[in-house]
Amino acid sequence: MKPTYHYTTVLEALEDLKEKGFTYDFNIHQDDIKTNPHKYEVKHVYRYEGDADPDEESVVYGISSDSGEKGVFVAGFSANSDNDAALVLEKLCIESSGQCKL
């Protein structure tokens, strides 16, 4: 499935995803995302860019697991971001759509 991209604030993204049933917090299980990426699929990507400071950029992923859980993963999105789970999700997004650029 090709991910859906939205550009909005982080709070609006989280509220929208919650309304769509994405309620699980994958941030607390990011080690599983890193070690078992084949269990996850990126369904939605929300990106927020700060007005002036690149360090204010963030990305919210709406993802589902093969066990049926739907939830969110929030990560900083900047040149100095080193979140390994976010890198895995970005790679999954690229592999699933062939055109994902975050």
Side-chain angles (χ1 to χ4, degrees):
M1 171 180 200
K2 188 183 243 184
T4 305
Y5 298 90
H6 310 276
Y7 298 90
T8 185
T9 67
V10 172
L11 181 58
E12 288 173 349
L14 292 172
E15 289 174 357
D16 186 50
L17 285 168
K18 184 177 181 181
E19 289 176 13
K20 293 177 179 172
F22 291 82
T23 57
Y24 191 76
D25 183 357
F26 282 107
N27 282 82
I28 60 175
H29 300 285
Q30 59 184 298
D31 287 337
D32 192 52
I33 292 171
K34 292 186 287 188
T35 57
N36 298 297
H38 60 281
K39 293 182 177 182
Y40 300 94
E41 183 178 355
V42 176
K43 301 286 190 175
H44 300 274
V45 178
Y46 293 78
R47 182 172 168 199
Y48 177 69
E49 296 182 16
D51 290 331
D53 187 354
D55 288 335
E56 293 178 2
E57 295 181 17
S58 58
V59 63
V60 178
Y61 293 96
I63 59 179
S64 62
S65 69
D66 62 0
S67 63
E69 291 175 309
K70 291 171 47 175
V72 296
F73 186 87
V74 181
F77 184 81
S78 64
N80 58 3
S81 179
D82 62 350
N83 186 314
D84 291 337
L87 295 174
V88 168
L89 291 172
E90 181 179 346
K91 183 178 179 195
L92 287 175
C93 182
I94 292 168
E95 289 172 354
S96 70
S97 72
Q99 58 187 352
C100 172
K101 296 198 182 199
L102 300 179

